[in-house]
Amino acid sequence: MGGAGAGRTATVAPPAPVPAGMRPGPPTSPGYPRNPGQTGAHGPWGPPPAPVPPLWSARVWPLTKDGAPFGVLVAAAGAGLVGASVLVADALGVGIGLLVLAVLLAALATRPQTVRPRQIGFAVLAVALFGVASVRTAAWLLTLCVLAGLLATILAVTAGRSWTGILLGTLSPLGAFSRTARWTGRGVVPRVRGRRLPVGRALAITAASVLLLLVFGGLFAGADPVFADLVGGLVPEIDPAQWIGRFVLFAVVAALALIGACLSHQAPDFDALAPRRGTGRPRAEWAIPLGALVALFACFVGVQLVVLADGNRHVVRTAGLTYAEYARQGFWQLLAVTALTLLVVAVVVRIARRETRGDRLTLRVLLGALCLLAVLVVASALRRMWLYEDAYGFTRLRLLVQATEVWLGLVFVLVGIAGIRLRGRWLPRTVIATGVLTLLALAALNPDAFIAERSVDRYAETGRIDVGYLSGLSADAAPALDRLPPDLRSCALATLEYHVDADEAWYTANLSRAEAREIYRDRPPGLCTLSSR
């Protein structure tokens, strides 16, 4: 046995080569012999590197590998067709509300998860805001409603809860373009029996369908006048030069619907980025400044009560001002006080310590007192503006500022409730919802008609009226201006012809324009011979 094995030499396999650009692993790795001279628990190479934490975007807004479902693509294309059919540059009407409804349906109705109640609520508010265009024509009011409607639409899709989630959710469509493009690209080409349908074939099928509809639709329209009238009423008249614009509208609206659907399906959790409350500051550091501010508010409210009890005699005797000058001078300062008070409340809620019962009781008492006094300050500002308007008349800016002040008063009530309960997760959404409801209430008031009615009533009492300002109001004011005497009526309605058309399509239908059109048709204004009075 020994001789037989003596002639053989043991062969040792050489170590496996290490790929270029890679360092050898630790000595405990498989395939590497343990180094007898190593020291420490991990050897000369040290501890293994810590895993790299995921980026905040991957943690808060994960990108899934699935593509857009076929239902989303169909819904987005439908929203694009609605947008290309009902949007016009010169007039808004009932069509824009239908467009927003189509976009929201594409984003929420195809959502795989259950739609939350707050999403449904903001969706209803968004449709209502855009629906204002079907009953009002004032450009300034429609601009505010459209901006607020866009905010409500985004909140309906993103469903943020905290202020951080709402703010980042409002900006999320700006960062969703590339994400939506990838998500749509993975689902735009459907699989048919395990093979992808070529894009060229899909375009050919679409073109053939459109061509067949155009050819046979034109033949049917030429064969039957009733069918031609039906098609003409449903399909907007488009010049050949406008086809490019309509195609752009289709692409833009469809892209917006896809972005909304992507945000709804791959919902970001921006609330996770909201800063956490720390231990808070000791009671003396926030209670003393807040108590001093409450005392100052109490002194101011006391002065307002004295002025209210004594009337304008106290104002004239003390400040040397007329009551109208007193009202105009103080309103804007009180509006700034209201906004700054909200900032103070937000800071105190953030830094106040709530560990002991005394801390919580002090916070409740001081915040409750400050919010109550702030509501009284809001009431004083509203009273001042009302007195000023009673002396000088109503304008759009004054009405808008009054509506803003009413909303701030509601916000203080909500903040006071949240401060007493020391729970305010519901507060951000409720604050925005009350702002939207305030704007809808202003639209329901019909500001231009309200201004015209008060001006006509004031003319009946005092004989003074600013016809030049009234002639610049929208068609919403036409029924009220129709009550003026013939000479003033002709001047006030001189520009009404430019606000209404002889006829309009169904998707631009508007209640105020319809009423103004009827007034102009039945009692057209004569030649204006007055400038203002």
Side-chain angles (χ1 to χ4, degrees), residues 404-451:
T404 304
E405 199 62 26
V406 168
W407 173 58
L408 291 177
L410 293 175
V411 170
F412 275 116
V413 173
L414 296 174
V415 170
I417 296 173
I420 293 175
R421 298 180 58 190
L422 293 182
R423 294 179 181 178
R425 294 189 62 184
W426 52 270
L427 187 60
R429 304 187 301 272
T430 309
V431 166
I432 295 178
T434 53
V436 171
L437 291 175
T438 303
L439 183 57
L440 289 174
L442 182 64
L445 177 66
N446 197 352
D448 281 16
F450 181 83
I451 294 170

Side-chain angles (χ1 to χ4, degrees), residues 254-329:
L256 292 177
L258 286 173
I259 290 175
C262 182
L263 289 173
S264 179
H265 282 68
Q266 302 178 5
D269 186 17
F270 293 127
D271 293 315
L273 300 177
R276 301 291 187 264
R277 290 190 71 256
T279 57
R281 309 302 302 171
R283 188 189 313 173
E285 295 186 12
W286 54 266
I288 294 176
L290 187 59
L293 184 62
V294 170
L296 178 62
F297 269 65
C299 293
F300 180 81
V301 171
V303 172
Q304 300 306 300
L305 294 177
V306 172
V307 173
L308 179 63
D310 197 22
N312 58 355
R313 294 187 300 274
H314 181 83
V315 176
V316 175
R317 182 173 62 252
T318 305
L321 301 173
T322 65
Y323 212 18
E325 292 172 341
Y326 177 72
R328 178 181 59 184
Q329 184 183 37

Side-chain angles (χ1 to χ4, degrees), residues 248-510:
V248 172
L249 282 175
F250 168 82
V252 170
V253 174
L256 292 177
L258 286 173
I259 290 175
C262 182
L263 289 173
S264 179
H265 282 68
Q266 302 178 5
D269 186 17
F270 293 127
D271 293 315
L273 300 177
R276 301 291 187 264
R277 290 190 71 256
T279 57
R281 309 302 302 171
R283 188 189 313 173
E285 295 186 12
W286 54 266
I288 294 176
L290 187 59
L293 184 62
V294 170
L296 178 62
F297 269 65
C299 293
F300 180 81
V301 171
V303 172
Q304 300 306 300
L305 294 177
V306 172
V307 173
L308 179 63
D310 197 22
N312 58 355
R313 294 187 300 274
H314 181 83
V315 176
V316 175
R317 182 173 62 252
T318 305
L321 301 173
T322 65
Y323 212 18
E325 292 172 341
Y326 177 72
R328 178 181 59 184
Q329 184 183 37
F331 176 80
W332 296 105
Q333 288 85 344
L334 294 182
L335 183 63
V337 166
T338 305
L340 290 176
T341 304
L342 285 175
L343 179 61
V344 170
V345 170
V347 172
V348 171
V349 169
R350 186 69 188 167
I351 68 173
R353 181 176 295 176
R354 311 176 191 176
E355 296 179 354
T356 65
R357 181 178 181 183
D359 291 340
R360 294 189 292 272
L361 179 61
T362 304
L363 184 61
R364 286 189 175 101
V365 171
L366 291 179
L367 282 183
L370 182 61
C371 290
L372 176 61
L373 293 172
V375 171
L376 295 178
V377 171
V378 169
S380 176
L382 288 173
R383 181 173 177 273
R384 289 189 181 208
M385 180 55 71
W386 184 266
L387 291 171
Y388 182 69
E389 289 172 329
D390 185 61
Y392 293 99
F394 291 83
T395 63
R396 292 168 169 173
L397 178 61
R398 295 166 191 169
L399 277 181
L400 179 59
V401 171
Q402 275 190 306
T404 304
E405 199 62 26
V406 168
W407 173 58
L408 291 177
L410 293 175
V411 170
F412 275 116
V413 173
L414 296 174
V415 170
I417 296 173
I420 293 175
R421 298 180 58 190
L422 293 182
R423 294 179 181 178
R425 294 189 62 184
W426 52 270
L427 187 60
R429 304 187 301 272
T430 309
V431 166
I432 295 178
T434 53
V436 171
L437 291 175
T438 303
L439 183 57
L440 289 174
L442 182 64
L445 177 66
N446 197 352
D448 281 16
F450 181 83
I451 294 170
E453 290 173 357
R454 295 300 179 273
S455 298
V456 172
D457 294 340
R458 185 167 176 264
Y459 171 75
E461 297 174 359
T462 64
R464 293 178 298 176
I465 191 170
D466 188 355
V467 180
Y469 182 81
L470 296 178
S471 63
L473 298 178
S474 64
D476 299 337
L481 298 179
D482 190 40
R483 297 164 41 200
L484 288 171
D487 53 345
L488 296 177
R489 177 182 180 277
S490 298
C491 295
L493 298 178
T495 60
L496 183 61
E497 182 181 4
Y498 302 100
H499 295 308
V500 297
D501 297 326
D503 196 8
E504 57 184 0
W506 67 268
Y507 47 85
T508 59
N510 180 276

Side-chain angles (χ1 to χ4, degrees), residues 85 115 119 144 165 204 238 245 271 284 287 311 364-365 370 448 466 477 479 517 526-527:
S85 302
V115 181
Q119 292 181 282
L144 294 176
I238 303 177
D271 293 315
R364 286 189 175 101
V365 171
L370 182 61
D448 281 16
D466 188 355
R517 187 183 304 110
L527 182 63

Side-chain angles (χ1 to χ4, degrees), residues 65-255:
K65 299 299 183 181
D66 58 339
F70 181 73
V72 171
L73 301 177
V74 173
L81 289 176
V82 173
S85 302
V86 304
L87 286 183
V88 293
D90 55 347
L92 295 178
V94 67
I96 190 171
L98 297 177
L99 168 62
V100 174
L101 180 60
V103 172
L104 286 172
L105 287 177
L108 297 179
T110 59
R111 175 184 169 94
Q113 302 87 3
T114 303
V115 181
R116 299 170 182 173
R118 62 174 176 269
Q119 292 181 282
I120 298 176
F122 277 112
V124 171
L125 291 177
V127 175
L129 285 168
F130 282 98
V132 172
S134 62
V135 294
R136 301 287 178 259
T137 61
W140 66 276
L141 180 62
L142 293 182
T143 300
L144 294 176
C145 289
V146 168
L147 294 177
L150 291 175
L151 175 61
T153 302
I154 295 174
L155 293 179
V157 175
T158 56
R161 298 185 305 273
S162 63
W163 287 114
T164 303
I166 290 174
L167 178 60
L168 294 179
T170 304
L171 302 177
S172 60
L174 301 178
F177 289 101
S178 60
R179 179 184 295 264
T180 304
R182 294 195 298 269
W183 184 65
T184 306
R186 287 193 295 265
V188 71
V189 182
R191 292 183 178 273
V192 180
R193 296 180 180 178
R195 296 182 180 181
R196 292 187 179 274
L197 183 66
V199 177
R201 188 181 303 174
L203 293 177
I205 293 174
T206 303
S209 302
V210 173
L211 180 61
L212 289 174
L213 290 176
L214 290 177
V215 172
F216 285 92
L219 292 175
F220 282 133
D224 191 343
V226 177
F227 183 80
D229 293 338
L230 177 62
V231 173
L234 295 178
V235 179
E237 296 182 1
I238 303 177
D239 296 334
Q242 295 180 343
W243 279 102
I244 297 179
R246 293 292 176 178
F247 178 77
V248 172
L249 282 175
F250 168 82
V252 170
V253 174

